[in-house]
Amino acid sequence: MKYFDNSQPADEPHGTGALDLEASDVEILFQVAHQLANYDETRLAELGCPKADLERLIDGLRIIRHRVGDSLKLRIFVIEGALSKEGVGGSGSMGAEVKENDAITLRTELPIAAAKFSEFMQFLISSIGSRELFLRTGFHLEELESLITKFEGHLAR
């Protein structure tokens, strides 16, 4: 796989980018993905996130949540490529893990839909409003807006 940090075999898919996140950001992404699952397949497809991709994204985020452990910071390299038959969590879907200080770096396959996460968050905010957002996810509007700015320019679409 070709990673964002340029350590790649030439014959594998390319990376779409890297995200530097707080461990709490992964929880926000996980909750947003779960809320998106409440929308019908047609609406998800219009957003550029077929239901199958959303399910793989949720599974991938679940794995990442468990791998983060006590780390405070996280760098995720999102790798565009075909997922294994087992999907995220199957063989080969989670790559190298490097720990430095309080940070952990993961290389992982996530559906290309991950590159649209800021659009998904904006859609959710506009669909349900700030009060309902808090009731459903436990996060405030400002937390999602802050996370949206972290995404800007970091993942290709």
Side-chain angles (χ1 to χ4, degrees), residues 1 12 21 34 65 68 83-84 86-87 91 94 102 105 114 126-127 131 136 150 155:
M1 294 184 169
E12 295 196 19
L21 302 172
H34 268 283
R65 265 183 4 170
V68 170
L83 296 172
S84 64
E86 296 85 11
S91 60
M94 189 68 70
D102 288 333
T105 298
S126 66
S127 294
R131 176 76 177 140
R136 291 185 185 195
K150 287 183 183 182
L155 293 177

Side-chain angles (χ1 to χ4, degrees), residues 39-50:
Y39 290 89
D40 66 37
E41 290 186 43
T42 304
R43 186 63 185 123
L44 290 174
E46 289 172 4
L47 285 172
C49 185

Side-chain angles (χ1 to χ4, degrees), residues 58-74:
I58 291 169
D59 289 344
L61 291 168
R62 183 178 291 115
I63 291 167
I64 291 168
R65 265 183 4 170
H66 293 296
R67 294 277 298 266
V68 170
D70 295 333
S71 299
L72 301 175
K73 296 193 181 287
L74 173 69

